[in-house]
Amino acid sequence: MTTTPGANPRRRDPYAGFPGTVGRTFRESTPAWPQPVRPREGAPNIVVVLIDDMGYSDIGPFGAEIPTPTLDRLAAGGVKLANYHTMPLCSPARAALLTGLNPHRVGYSFVANADPGFPGYGMEVAGDIPTLAELLHDAGYATYAVGKWHLTRDSASNAADDRANWPLQKGFDQYYGVLEGLTSLFHPHQLVRDNSPLDIDEFPDDYYYTDDITDQAIKMVKSLRAHDDDKPFFLYLAHNAVHGPLQAKPADLARHRGRYDGGWDELRRTRFARQLAAGHFPPGTELPERNSEAGYEVGPWDELTDVQQKLYARYMEVYAAMVDNVDQNLGRLTDTLAALGELDNTIIVFTSDNGGTGEGGAEGTRSYFSRFVHHPGLPDDWNPDVQREIDLIGGPQSLVHYPRGWGMASNTPFRLYKGQTYAGGVRVPFVLSWPAGLPRAEGDDGVRAQYQYVTDVLPTLLELAGVARPSERRDRPVQELDGTSFAAVLRDGATPSTHHEQYCEMTGNRSYYRDGWKLVTLHRPGTPYDDGEWALYDLRTDPTEIHDVAADHPALVKELSAAWEAAAWRNGVFPLADGSGALALRGPGTDRLRRPLTLLPGTPELERYRSSRLISFRSFTVEVALDGYRDGDQGVLVSHGDQGGGYSLYVEDGRLRLAYNQYGELLEADGGPLAAGTRRVTLEATAVADLKWEFRLLVDGAEPRGGVGRLGPVHQLIGMAPFQGISVGIDRKSPVSWPVHERHRAFRYTGALHSVTYLPGAPAPYDPETVARALREAAAAFE
């Protein structure tokens, strides 16, 4: 019995669909080749430059005094969207920009550092939601990404993950950068190239991350042109700057000395004057008073002491130097495009993921990770700052952030900050340049006052590139867009806005925009969600949201609040955050990350999240097995952390030592001399009250003589600290102890190290996940 080729659905006919002819020999056959997908003739390159936490007024084209000559040139020949809106937090904004869908629909209600178990918090871009990179790649573009990703859940950012939500699986040909939301610009904690974390011991002394990712982007473009002289490319250049911790190169910082001695009040006035002169706002627009809301308030600059003014001005000098450096690097990229003859036919978009931040607190900080901690049980002696000489601020030994007064100035002329749905959190600069495709008409100042939203970026760029978004991809329907192209607005400033309504939500802060009206709340965590929270603003006459007219338009408040409710259900916004602590919960699969773990010498650095699960909010033991200590052996046995916080166990001059970096404050314990033949060194950390640890060193199971080898109680490393993961036999990249680093650099252990084993203990009563589960169980029992 014979079967017809193709009759078996599991055995495809190898000749089916072949357009040539096939005989028994080549002479009897006619060849045919598949046609590669190529973009249309003259298709533009596309570069999207996304800055992190940059306020509306922080670049020259939007009112800043910071020199940004590259952006000035791009804006002078391009278009400025003066009324562009985004999400108030980074991961949701990035999801919306790269997909064209509202972020809750994509699964990004929050940053990719949570997993409470609901659809809006899935932190994965589903297969039926194609990214801009995937769509352009399908159309024949080369696609590159460098810098911050932050669309992979932190628990999935390790080398053992399936990588389904890493950049290469979302349409990019090449990637180089940091998967997580923030990092040190001098010592990035985990660099990834394509699909692989890089194993790096030390960075050069002159290393700077913003320069590095720009170098990588330029190499990608040059390599493409060496192999294909006309294939267009999409480059997603996502800076970690200017997110905290704020760090700047000395040469950049020197150019800004003294620039901010006048303070934030004067800075707001001068920036606002430039914005009015540039036509960003209608005549009569008012500059709001300083932020005065509880927990977000800013005092007058003139009431600060001379010492405070000097310190605070230095923080802003660092921030300005970072912006300056971003512009310099954009200049290097545009110079490369010009040298290739492609600058005119490259669409360049420059914008920010959200507004400037107030997370530095009223005073700012030289201890970023201690200020960043949010736990209801912080003890009275918790210090959100450390002492640092002013000349160290901005360098690799300090992890700083500016006071929220500068965040207010960054967001000039708007109120509030990143995280809130008021304009300070969601209105950001937007510059678009494409000389060949969008030349400015005579008399056009390039300013566009039309409301547009972050979901509009994808359909706009596709239209400009001449690429259609399909209704199906890989034999399945794709999810419909929420964004609308504003290409017509770019071409003609008289064209009306293409985006008329938009909901927004972030950790309970809500807003609803409709044709110039904006309904908005500043939600107090843990309080009920009721209509008494709503404020109403007529943005046509009050773009800076000063005059609440909710009492004058009760019917409109009711109508827009109902519209918000409907949009929330339609987009997957619920459930809203409340006092249950649910954002601290993690899926049951992460429990395995707290199992005992043995690491062998030569193991690459353990990723941050995995490392933190072994020690966070609990007692733990670290057992270091040696193949017999020999006199003269020295170096780091195990390290975990960096200049923002961590611990390092090392041997120097024959003595066992423990360095504990308490969020920038260095504490040390001497474990005494190690005897030849020692085979086991143990570090015990006992969780005690007030979020503290007590440390004890043991050598071959016994305490060192003389009562040495103890340290504490010390504040536990919680929140995002330690940021750098666990290393065996070396202290990689950013050191726990700067003095040890100065003496020995990475200080690799010279002896015979057998293994390092972590034994996590039970969670302490103040563990947020334990508390959240207890609250949930109590509520269920009550019901």
Side-chain angles (χ1 to χ4, degrees):
M1 178 179 176
T2 61
T3 59
T4 304
N8 185 344
R10 293 181 295 170
R11 187 178 182 89
R12 179 171 49 85
D13 180 357
Y15 302 114
F18 177 63
T21 58
V22 178
R24 297 193 73 238
T25 65
F26 278 114
R27 185 174 287 108
E28 300 171 299
S29 306
T30 305
W33 290 268
Q35 292 297 311
V37 176
R38 302 291 293 186
R40 66 173 174 82
E41 187 72 24
N45 304 315
I46 299 173
V47 176
V48 173
V49 182
L50 188 64
I51 308 300
D52 201 350
D53 288 5
M54 174 178 277
Y56 185 86
S57 71
D58 281 335
I59 59 173
F62 278 73
E65 70 299 325
I66 303 170
T68 54
T70 304
L71 285 166
D72 293 347
R73 287 193 296 272
L74 294 175
V79 174
K80 295 187 292 182
L81 295 189
N83 197 9
Y84 171 78
H85 288 64
T86 180
M87 281 291 290
L89 213 58
C90 40
S91 298
R94 292 158 198 273
L97 186 149
L98 286 174
T99 67
L101 275 67
N102 290 325
H104 297 84
R105 286 182 62 205
V106 191
Y108 292 85
S109 297
F110 193 58
V111 289
N113 301 81
D115 185 21
F118 296 98
Y121 296 84
M123 308 300 172
E124 293 183 357
V125 182
D128 59 353
I129 303 176
T131 67
L132 180 58
E134 289 174 308
L135 295 170
L136 290 172
H137 192 275
D138 290 350
Y141 273 69
T143 52
Y144 307 121
V146 297
K148 171 173 172 172
W149 181 240
H150 212 194
L151 291 175
T152 300
R153 192 185 305 116
D154 53 3
S155 60
S157 296
N158 61 78
D161 191 71
D162 65 7
R163 296 165 168 80
N165 220 52
W166 289 30
L168 263 62
Q169 283 61 250
K170 293 301 165 188
F172 290 100
D173 294 322
Q174 295 182 49
Y175 170 71
Y176 180 88
V178 173
L179 293 177
E180 290 200 274
L182 62 151
T183 197
S184 165
L185 300 189
F186 292 109
H187 304 119
H189 66 289
Q190 181 178 265
L191 282 172
V192 171
R193 185 182 298 280
D194 298 333
N195 268 336
S196 300
L198 299 178
D199 192 16
I200 297 170
D201 287 350
E202 294 182 291
F203 289 101
D205 287 342
D206 62 351
Y207 178 88
Y208 192 66
Y209 176 79
T210 307
D211 297 343
D212 185 17
I213 61 172
T214 305
D215 288 342
Q216 299 295 328
I218 289 172
K219 288 177 183 177
M220 292 173 184
V221 172
K222 286 182 176 179
S223 177
L224 173 66
R225 284 297 165 258
H227 294 89
D228 190 321
D229 59 5
D230 61 5
K231 184 176 188 177
F233 64 85
F234 166 46
L235 170 63
Y236 177 57
L237 203 173
H239 286 283
N240 286 76
V242 287
H243 196 293
L246 306 182
Q247 296 175 312
K249 295 163 63 176
D252 295 328
L253 182 52
R255 284 193 295 275
H256 297 275
R257 292 285 170 82
R259 188 185 295 274
Y260 297 100
D261 292 351
W264 47 63
D265 293 324
E266 178 61 24
L267 188 66
R268 289 181 79 217
R269 287 191 289 269
T270 56
R271 288 187 173 187
F272 185 49
R274 295 189 195 101
Q275 292 167 344
L276 289 175
H280 287 201
F281 303 101
T285 298
E286 303 170 64
L287 180 66
E289 297 295 323
R290 285 182 298 272
N291 293 329
S292 59
E293 295 80 1
Y296 306 106
E297 65 274 18
V298 176
W301 178 264
D302 292 343
E303 293 184 4
L304 300 173
T305 67
D306 290 345
V307 172
Q308 287 174 316
Q309 289 185 357
K310 183 178 180 181
L311 174 61
Y312 294 3
R314 174 61 173 229
Y315 289 137
M316 187 60 189
E317 291 168 9
V318 178
Y319 183 88
M322 295 172 72
V323 176
D324 181 347
N325 181 267
V326 165
D327 189 82
Q328 292 175 52
N329 277 291
L330 182 56
R332 293 200 297 126
L333 176 61
T334 56
D335 287 348
T336 300
L337 295 174
L340 292 169
E342 299 186 42
L343 182 57
D344 281 356
N345 197 33
T346 299
I347 301 169
I348 298 178
V349 171
F350 182 98
T351 189
S352 178
D353 58 354
N354 47 251
T357 179
E359 67 190 19
E363 306 86 17
T365 184
R366 291 158 288 187
S367 180
Y368 181 77
F369 291 121
S370 64
R371 174 72 72 179
F372 203 61
V373 165
H374 301 286
H375 190 287
L378 287 182
D380 293 339
D381 64 347
W382 187 273
N383 184 12
D385 195 9
V386 296
Q387 290 298 316
R388 280 286 186 274
E389 293 296 328
I390 197 165
D391 287 344
L392 295 179
I393 291 176
Q397 296 180 63
S398 63
L399 277 66
V400 308
H401 215 314
Y402 62 19
R404 59 177 175 248
W406 295 122
M408 176 186 66
S410 288
N411 294 331
T412 302
F414 304 120
R415 295 171 54 195
L416 297 171
Y417 316 93
K418 166 188 177 180
Q420 284 93 55
T421 48
Y422 274 78
V426 298
R427 285 189 70 168
V428 294
F430 190 103
V431 175
L432 189 146
S433 169
W434 185 23
L438 291 171
R440 284 251 295 269
E442 186 175 349
D444 183 356
D445 63 2
V447 177
R448 301 292 185 265
Q450 294 88 333
Y451 176 98
Q452 300 296 160
Y453 192 63
V454 61
T455 55
D456 302 337
V457 173
L458 180 144
T460 301
L461 292 176
L462 290 180
E463 180 177 342
L464 295 178
V467 174
R469 185 177 187 267
S471 58
E472 291 189 355
R473 184 173 184 268
R474 296 181 179 173
D475 299 323
R476 64 185 299 191
V478 301
Q479 293 294 301
E480 66 179 4
L481 287 174
D482 293 306
T484 55
S485 171
F486 53 80
V489 172
L490 296 173
R491 294 189 174 99
D492 182 359
T495 300
S497 166
T498 62
H499 202 117
H500 303 289
E501 293 192 53
Q502 182 62 47
Y503 84 93
C504 189
E505 186 275 334
M506 178 53 54
T507 59
N509 293 313
R510 298 163 288 156
S511 71
Y512 198 85
Y513 171 86
R514 178 184 287 169
D515 289 331
W517 292 98
K518 181 178 177 181
L519 194 69
V520 63
T521 70
L522 180 61
H523 181 69
R524 289 186 295 114
T527 61
Y529 292 96
D530 58 47
D531 286 346
E533 288 191 308
W534 292 116
L536 179 67
Y537 299 99
D538 184 349
L539 301 186
R540 296 164 296 186
T541 58
D542 182 24
T544 50
E545 301 172 354
I546 297 174
H547 305 290
D548 178 9
V549 294
D552 300 329
H553 302 277
L556 184 56
V557 170
K558 185 176 181 180
E559 178 184 339
L560 295 181
S561 65
W564 184 91
E565 191 82 7
W569 282 114
R570 186 167 183 262
N571 286 278
V573 173
F574 297 114
L576 295 174
D578 55 20
S580 68
L583 281 178
L585 292 173
R586 294 286 180 152
T590 61
D591 290 345
R592 60 185 173 79
L593 301 181
R594 288 194 171 121
R595 296 171 185 166
L597 176 67
T598 296
L599 301 168
L600 302 179
T603 301
E605 181 181 309
L606 196 66
E607 183 270 331
R608 176 198 69 82
Y609 183 79
R610 174 70 167 105
S611 298
S612 73
R613 297 301 87 189
L614 298 171
I615 69 166
S616 183
F617 296 107
R618 67 195 57 240
S619 301
F620 65 95
T621 299
V622 185
E623 294 187 347
V624 180
L626 303 173
D627 291 332
Y629 172 74
R630 302 167 304 177
D631 290 339
D633 290 345
Q634 66 173 357
V636 172
L637 301 174
V638 62
S639 69
H640 182 189
D642 47 59
Q643 281 293 283
Y647 55 93
S648 175
L649 191 62
Y650 65 98
V651 181
E652 184 180 34
D653 298 330
R655 302 183 74 88
L656 176 65
R657 299 180 183 274
L658 170 66
Y660 187 73
N661 190 318
Q662 184 176 254
Y663 298 99
E665 179 185 2
L666 185 62
L667 308 170
E668 296 190 71
D670 184 350
L674 277 186
T678 296
R679 304 192 68 84
R680 181 159 51 98
V681 173
T682 304
L683 173 65
E684 289 184 350
T686 302
V688 296
D690 295 327
L691 296 169
K692 291 179 179 177
W693 281 318
E694 290 181 344
F695 286 107
R696 184 171 71 134
L697 295 174
L698 303 174
V699 178
D700 283 335
E703 288 195 68
R705 294 179 180 178
V708 298
R710 287 180 176 266
L711 185 65
V714 296
H715 293 301
Q716 291 184 23
L717 299 166
I718 57 178
M720 295 297 289
F723 209 60
Q724 199 163 287
I726 296 168
S727 289
V728 173
I730 190 171
D731 190 354
R732 292 184 170 97
K733 293 172 282 192
S734 178
V736 171
S737 169
W738 196 266
V740 171
H741 170 75
E742 288 184 317
R743 295 194 297 269
H744 302 289
R745 306 294 292 185
F747 207 18
R748 185 179 289 277
Y749 185 62
T750 60
L753 176 58
H754 182 270
S755 63
V756 172
T757 298
Y758 272 76
L759 302 169
Y766 40 71
D767 172 34
E769 291 182 63
T770 302
V771 173
R773 287 193 173 95
L775 286 171
R776 176 165 290 187
E777 289 167 5
F782 178 77
E783 291 169 0

